Amino acid sequence: MEITSFFSFCILFLLKTCLNLLASWCTGTEFRQRGDFVLGGLFDVHYGNNAMSHNRPEAVDCSRQELVVPSYRRFQTMRFAIEEINNSSALLPNVSLGYEIFDHCSSKDNFPSIFQFITMNKRLQPWYDRTGQSDITAVVGPFSSADMVTIAPLVMLNFVPTISYGAGSSAFSKKVKFPSFLRTVHSNQDLVEVIVNILLFYKWRWVAFLNSDDAYGSDGLDLFMKRITETDICMAYNKVIDYNANASEIITQIETQHVNVVVVFVPEGTAERLIGTITELNITKKVWIAVDAWSLNKKLPKMKGIQTIGTVIGVAQPTVEIPGFNEFIYSTRRPCQRELGELCNQYCRDCEDLTPEDVISSDPSYSFNVYTAVYAIANALHNMLQCESGECQKNKTVYHYQLSKSNFTLLDETIQFDENLDPRFGSYTVVFWNSSGDAETVGFYGFNPSDNFYINTSKIEWHTNGEIPLSICSTECSVGYAKEQEGIHKCCFKCLLCPNGTYIDVKVDEYNCVPCDETEWSTEGSAACLKRTVEFVTFEHAAAIVIVFGTVSLVGLSLLTSVLFALNYNTPVVRSAGGPMCFLILGCLCLSSISVFFYFSIPTVASCLLRFFPFLLFFSVCLACFVVRSFQIVCIFKIAAKYPSLQRWWMKYHGQWLIITLAFVVQATMLIFGYSFSPPAPFSDIEWEQSQIILSCGIDFKANTASVILLLVLCCLCFTFSYMGKDLPKNYNEAKSITFCLLLIAMTWVIFVTQFILYQGKYIHTFNALAVVSSLYSFLLWYFLPKCYIIVFQPQRNTTQYFQGLIQSYTKTMSQ
């Protein structure tokens, strides 16, 4: 542990010694003015190795590089703000501010100026000695995020307050790494938010993103990728732009991907080279999204051929008119008198041809940010020196780490900072490069009091004949279609029609068709489900009224027939019809008709049970009676003569009642057994008609198979015996009547079963009730009604002599 500590101490000592040597050796172009408190300023007034240039020399002499007029304007803005504060009696009275401004045209030229800023008596202070004071109270700058990353470890050494007017990287919001960093420009996160809002506003989903190979561009790319994950925007293509970027290859890739919107997140110098190359390539028209670093560039909009590249929409720092600034520029325009061995203080050394008009008309971006940065320092000093009384306490010691943010009003703008020392004021403007070569304001994005966004589309002259360009991978699906992603991009998809019974709500999920609830329905391609209508036949329905009336009439006719048969009980017609068995048949017909009354209204457990049980049980008894009756007719006329012993056994043991009782007991047992395991119950039929819920009674056909088979067996036996007696005497032939009734019943149920297979809608139960009534009427009308007619209207045929004559005539015929 001791060896490690000693080794670390040696490294720190060596590093400190080297830094002290650099501080005393490195100097850059500087502009000085002394005062009670000195501010440091860093401006890239000349292009150096931060620009896109080739064959750069290792040693950079800023005075030999191209002058950047917008940066020179920002440099003058700092001077103007300090002069304005020094001439103010309200802010920092009896206190003068001085400055040391350095022109760093390259990254390496940051170091001399920073070493100058952080030294005290030309020497660096220990890392952890916060009480050490350098000559510089605070630093304004640098402009770019890359430059800020370079100098950050040095200016944070003794917590020197550093207020950047252009470094937008979101990394600087982390106060753990950058505790004394403050900025008057919004973070890249806010800039990316505006760009994404523009893309969403115009529904541009398929975009390319070009970023610079530095802290600024890398941060913008990371923020953009994170932000679009919450949207339906896809980054079709990304390319890092460096000094050797092949613009032709980049455009080829963009064309291959069919991208029509390109976000160019690069510094001003990089943008000038890139856009200049694009104009030379005669590129197909695109929409170019410019960031605030170059959206207000004065040279590019007037470049020859710029109109061919398409439409340029930019996000810009708002242009704020600073009162008195123009007059200041005119007043400082005088010859530079430089003494031997001294730097030309406060003047531009290589701008003899630069006029005040050139400075005033140059890109005003970030000028207000510089102005605000100076005033932020001044207001902080004003509070620390207790200047509210009208006179500042000059003897009060001011430490760097005590300079913190302050809230104040500047040019009617309330200047505030958040907990990360990022601005909570200002806005962005949306600009459009018009045909006149000017950046015309067409919209804005405000941060205070709340986020608000607006673009006046009518001011934009689109390169697509006035229509808003499209930039999508796949055309949006029509209503009722779900997306199925193709490839890795969510913007590339095919559309699938949602089938019946499903819907899609694109606000919730664009990729899955959602099944409707059982109480809902939908057609294919629906965006919502509809409520199903509940369907059942009420007693008020016309069909129900007719069937119920017919059933009541059936019961009434059955009772009248019973009364008529009772009054004529000992007549040959009644006795030949079955005698006492007729009353059983008529009673079973009435009991069977009970089922009809439960086919209507809302089904319940009881109504479902009574819909089937009475009919199946008592109609089986009816069939058993007719089986016995048809057997007796055949026996009397055909079997008795050949098998007299069978006739005697039948009469002795009342065979007819045994058969009927056996049929009743067997059917009742099977019905009770089947219903015990699977009773009929109400259910909602949602399969037959998707828009309806048909209330019905479900019956388990497997559980009732035995009961149905018994009915079929009785029908077959009845038909067989009755058919055997088809040649009996005409006026004494109940067998023919029974056969005809059975044929009607069979036809009725064949029609119903066919209808049931083809249609199971709302009225199927009405047809079922009609089939039951028709079956009952078949026996009543075609078996009992002819006998009632003979009793009432032809009493001469209802005599013993008449019937005996028929029997004797039939006997003679059979014997011959």
Side-chain angles (χ1 to χ4, degrees):
M1 181 65 69
E2 294 179 357
I3 296 175
T4 304
S5 301
F6 177 75
F7 184 71
S8 300
F9 172 77
C10 292
I11 292 177
L12 291 174
F13 179 78
L14 180 61
L15 180 59
K16 178 182 176 183
T17 303
C18 293
L19 291 177
N20 282 321
L21 288 173
L22 283 171
S24 62
W25 175 68
C26 294
T27 58
T29 304
E30 61 178 294
F31 304 84
R32 292 198 185 102
Q33 176 177 297
R34 287 300 169 185
D36 295 317
F37 296 92
V38 180
L39 308 184
L42 293 173
F43 295 87
D44 49 352
V45 180
H46 294 84
Y47 274 138
N49 61 0
N50 290 325
M52 293 186 72
S53 59
H54 297 280
N55 303 318
R56 299 180 307 277
E58 288 298 325
V60 179
D61 184 356
C62 291
S63 64
R64 296 181 181 178
Q65 303 303 313
E66 181 183 352
L67 178 71
V68 183
V69 181
S71 289
Y72 180 73
R73 174 191 174 111
R74 291 189 281 270
F75 148 71
Q76 292 289 8
T77 303
M78 179 177 176
R79 293 184 58 240
F80 168 73
I82 293 175
E83 295 292 341
E84 190 175 54
I85 294 170
N86 288 339
N87 293 326
S88 171
S89 59
L91 185 62
L92 292 177
N94 75 314
V95 172
S96 64
L97 296 179
Y99 56 80
E100 289 192 22
I101 303 177
F102 287 83
D103 173 17
H104 61 97
C105 62
S106 67
S107 296
K108 62 182 67 176
D109 284 332
N110 283 318
F111 290 101
S113 54
I114 291 303
F115 290 146
Q116 180 74 21
F117 289 162
I118 65 178
T119 58
M120 186 180 74
N121 298 324
K122 302 300 182 180
R123 296 188 63 83
L124 293 173
Q125 298 304 306
W127 271 259
Y128 301 104
D129 182 8
R130 294 191 179 185
T131 60
Q133 294 292 295
S134 71
D135 297 331
I136 300 299
T137 303
V139 177
V140 176
F143 175 66
S144 70
S145 297
D147 292 332
M148 187 63 224
V149 170
T150 303
I151 71 168
L154 299 176
V155 293
M156 301 296 140
L157 191 70
N158 281 341
F159 296 89
V160 176
T162 305
I163 307 181
S164 176
Y165 54 89
S169 175
S170 61
F172 300 128
S173 298
K174 300 176 182 178
K175 295 299 107 178
V176 175
K177 296 179 64 176
F178 306 96
S180 60
F181 176 84
L182 182 143
R183 55 183 160 193
T184 55
V185 65
H186 283 275
S187 166
N188 283 347
Q189 186 168 0
D190 295 331
L191 176 59
V192 167
E193 183 66 27
V194 182
I195 292 172
V196 171
N197 273 270
I198 294 174
L199 298 177
L200 293 174
F201 182 81
Y202 288 112
K203 299 180 180 179
W204 292 326
R205 303 294 185 258
W206 193 237
V207 300
F209 193 92
L210 308 180
N211 61 284
S212 54
D213 188 17
D214 55 19
Y216 175 74
S218 299
D219 183 63
L221 175 63
D222 292 340
L223 293 171
F224 184 76
M225 292 180 66
K226 291 178 182 177
R227 179 62 179 86
I228 63 175
T229 55
E230 305 171 2
T231 69
D232 52 359
I233 299 172
C234 297
M235 188 167 64
Y237 176 73
N238 168 244
K239 182 66 176 178
V240 176
I241 305 297
D242 56 20
Y243 299 120
N244 300 314
N246 189 330
S248 178
E249 180 182 344
I250 293 172
I251 296 303
T252 301
Q253 289 294 328
I254 291 175
E255 291 285 359
T256 302
Q257 296 291 337
H258 304 289
V259 180
N260 292 326
V261 176
V262 184
V263 179
V264 185
F265 207 99
V266 298
E268 186 173 29
T270 307
E272 287 184 358
R273 176 175 172 80
L274 176 66
I275 300 300
T277 306
I278 289 174
T279 56
E280 296 173 0
L281 294 174
N282 193 22
I283 299 305
T284 305
K285 294 183 177 181
K286 304 288 181 186
V287 175
W288 304 88
I289 306 295
V291 294
D292 54 354
W294 61 280
S295 59
L296 296 183
N297 186 286
K298 297 296 182 178
K299 182 170 63 175
L300 283 176
K302 294 179 171 61
M303 183 184 295
K304 182 180 180 181
I306 192 66
Q307 299 298 327
T308 63
I309 71 171
T311 304
V312 179
I313 298 175
V315 180
Q317 297 288 331
T319 302
V320 178
E321 200 67 39
I322 302 176
F325 177 71
N326 294 352
E327 291 78 4
F328 174 79
I329 295 298
Y330 280 108
S331 67
T332 59
R333 186 60 179 166
R334 58 181 181 271
C336 173
Q337 301 296 330
R338 181 172 25 163
E339 296 180 8
L340 183 63
E342 291 186 1
L343 297 173
C344 183
N345 188 22
Q346 304 178 7
Y347 296 98
C348 178
R349 293 186 298 172
D350 58 346
C351 49
E352 289 79 4
D353 297 330
L354 187 67
T355 65
E357 289 77 13
D358 294 332
V359 178
I360 294 171
S361 63
S362 64
D363 182 358
S365 300
Y366 304 98
S367 293
F368 182 69
N369 297 11
V370 175
Y371 189 70
T372 306
V374 176
Y375 268 88
I377 298 171
N379 278 273
L381 283 172
H382 186 89
N383 295 332
M384 292 177 62
L385 298 178
Q386 300 176 355
C387 302
E388 291 80 4
S389 61
E391 185 174 350
C392 299
Q393 305 296 322
K394 287 186 177 183
N395 58 352
K396 187 176 181 61
T397 303
V398 176
Y399 296 104
H400 293 149
Y401 61 88
Q402 292 178 320
L403 278 172
S404 60
K405 62 176 181 176
S406 59
N407 298 331
F408 57 96
T409 301
L410 184 64
L411 300 184
D412 298 326
E413 180 81 57
T414 301
I415 308 300
Q416 294 178 324
F417 300 89
D418 62 17
E419 64 277 3
N420 295 321
L421 303 184
D422 288 334
R424 291 178 56 190
F425 61 90
S427 62
Y428 277 109
T429 58
V430 181
V431 298
F432 157 68
W433 288 8
N434 58 30
S435 56
S436 301
D438 298 321
E440 180 182 356
T441 300
V442 296
F444 66 87
Y445 185 96
F447 297 96
N448 191 28
S450 61
D451 294 348
N452 54 89
F453 176 68
Y454 169 76
I455 293 182
N456 187 351
T457 304
S458 62
K459 289 186 176 181
I460 301 177
E461 303 168 9
W462 301 104
H463 63 271
T464 50
N465 298 323
E467 296 183 0
I468 299 176
L470 294 176
S471 188
I472 55 176
C473 180
S474 300
T475 305
E476 282 297 315
C477 295
S478 303
V479 176
Y481 284 80
K483 295 179 179 178
E484 183 176 308
Q485 185 172 319
E486 293 182 317
I488 61 173
H489 293 292
K490 59 187 176 183
C491 298
C492 302
F493 50 82
K494 61 182 179 180
C495 300
L496 302 176
L497 183 65
C498 289
N500 289 333
T502 65
Y503 74 100
I504 183 166
D505 186 353
V506 294
K507 295 180 180 179
V508 178
D509 185 359
E510 296 179 309
Y511 295 91
N512 295 295
C513 300
V514 182
C516 296
D517 294 337
E518 288 190 353
T519 59
E520 298 176 331
W521 70 285
S522 69
T523 58
E524 64 178 14
S526 296
C529 291
L530 303 175
K531 283 291 183 181
R532 293 175 182 259
T533 57
V534 180
E535 297 289 344
F536 61 92
V537 179
T538 63
F539 280 103
E540 291 79 13
H541 196 276
I545 294 173
V546 172
I547 293 174
V548 169
F549 178 78
T551 304
V552 173
S553 301
L554 173 74
V555 174
L557 291 174
S558 298
L559 293 176
L560 290 176
T561 302
S562 298
V563 171
L564 183 62
F565 274 38
L567 295 175
N568 298 274
Y569 182 75
N570 292 318
T571 60
V573 170
V574 175
R575 297 185 67 82
S576 65
M581 196 178 295
C582 293
F583 299 102
L584 178 60
I585 295 172
L586 291 170
C588 287
L589 292 178
C590 292
L591 292 174
S592 296
S593 66
I594 293 174
S595 297
V596 177
F597 297 98
F598 297 97
Y599 278 94
F600 310 105
S601 190
I602 300 175
T604 62
V605 175
S607 66
C608 288
L609 183 65
L610 295 174
R611 184 177 292 189
F612 303 107
F613 189 89
F615 177 74
L616 291 175
L617 178 61
F618 295 110
F619 196 71
S620 297
V621 175
C622 288
L623 288 176
C625 291
F626 282 109
V627 168
V628 171
R629 185 62 194 141
S630 59
F631 175 76
Q632 286 179 327
I633 294 172
V634 174
C635 182
I636 292 172
F637 285 97
K638 293 189 176 183
I639 300 177
K642 297 181 179 180
Y643 305 100
S645 58
L646 180 60
Q647 171 70 12
R648 289 193 299 272
W649 183 90
W650 182 269
M651 297 299 295
K652 180 180 179 180
Y653 294 101
H654 304 285
Q656 68 274 24
W657 299 112
L658 288 176
I659 298 297
I660 294 171
T661 303
L662 180 63
F664 174 79
V665 172
V666 172
Q667 185 66 296
T669 301
M670 289 189 297
L671 287 172
I672 293 173
F673 183 79
Y675 285 178
S676 298
F677 287 96
S678 181
F683 85 101
S684 300
D685 186 357
I686 60 175
E687 300 296 333
W688 176 256
E689 179 61 46
Q690 64 173 357
S691 63
Q692 298 176 351
I693 298 177
I694 301 173
L695 301 184
S696 179
C697 287
I699 183 170
D700 190 345
F701 291 102
K702 292 182 179 179
N704 293 275
T705 301
S707 300
V708 176
I709 290 176
L710 179 60
L711 280 174
L712 294 176
V713 169
L714 292 175
C715 286
C716 291
L717 289 175
C718 185
F719 184 82
T720 301
F721 291 135
S722 62
Y723 185 78
M724 290 172 62
K726 68 181 185 302
D727 55 345
L728 294 178
K730 180 178 180 182
N731 292 329
Y732 191 68
N733 195 354
E734 285 85 358
K736 290 183 178 181
S737 298
I738 295 172
T739 302
F740 185 71
C741 291
L742 290 174
L743 289 174
L744 289 178
I745 292 172
M747 187 181 299
T748 298
W749 287 100
V750 167
I751 293 173
F752 171 73
V753 171
T754 304
Q755 185 69 27
F756 182 81
I757 293 173
L758 299 177
Y759 170 78
Q760 297 182 27
K762 169 183 176 180
Y763 295 103
I764 190 63
H765 304 293
T766 305
F767 293 138
N768 195 350
L770 183 61
V772 170
V773 174
S774 299
S775 300
L776 301 179
Y777 265 108
S778 296
F779 283 130
L780 179 65
L781 296 180
W782 302 108
Y783 185 80
F784 290 102
L785 188 60
K787 294 171 176 51
C788 293
Y789 178 79
I790 292 174
I791 292 173
V792 175
F793 296 105
Q794 294 184 348
Q796 68 278 8
R797 297 172 58 184
N798 190 16
T799 60
T800 304
Q801 294 79 5
Y802 182 79
F803 272 82
Q804 287 179 347
L806 293 176
I807 295 172
Q808 290 175 357
S809 175
Y810 178 76
T811 304
K812 286 182 179 180
T813 303
M814 292 295 294
S815 61
Q816 292 176 355

